[in-house]
Amino acid sequence: MDYHLLIKDIPNATVTQYEDTFLITVANSQLAATVLERVMHHKACCWIGLQPQQKDDLPSIYAAYPLKLWLATVATQLANG
């Protein structure tokens, strides 16, 4: 999967690739929703995050596709309290 299709016309999107999975971070939830629509359309394996407000913070996860990625993300967040 070429991630360029997922972030076309999305300003300041950053992409981190790990094997066949991507973490795409964007500036706000409206842009994240646009990326999520594209991810679902192309059936890409992807996490979508919101860029942190503070430089040293980690991005917050907005969504993940397919569902197994989202369930794993929620389980990890719950375990970390």
Side-chain angles (χ1 to χ4, degrees), residues 26-65:
V26 295
N28 59 53
S29 59
Q30 185 176 8
L31 294 173
T34 300
V35 172
L36 179 59
E37 288 178 14
R38 295 174 185 178
V39 165
M40 292 171 58
H41 175 77
H42 292 288
K43 296 182 178 17
C45 191
C46 181
W47 284 276
I48 302 165
L50 299 177
Q51 294 168 348
Q53 299 297 318
Q54 301 295 324
K55 182 180 174 184
D56 295 333
D57 289 344
L58 295 173
S60 59
I61 300 299
Y62 173 85
Y65 185 87

Side-chain angles (χ1 to χ4, degrees), residues 1-10 35 38-39 42:
M1 173 80 223
D2 181 9
Y3 68 85
H4 291 94
L5 293 172
L6 305 175
I7 61 168
K8 182 180 179 188
D9 301 325
I10 303 291
V35 172
R38 295 174 185 178
V39 165
H42 292 288

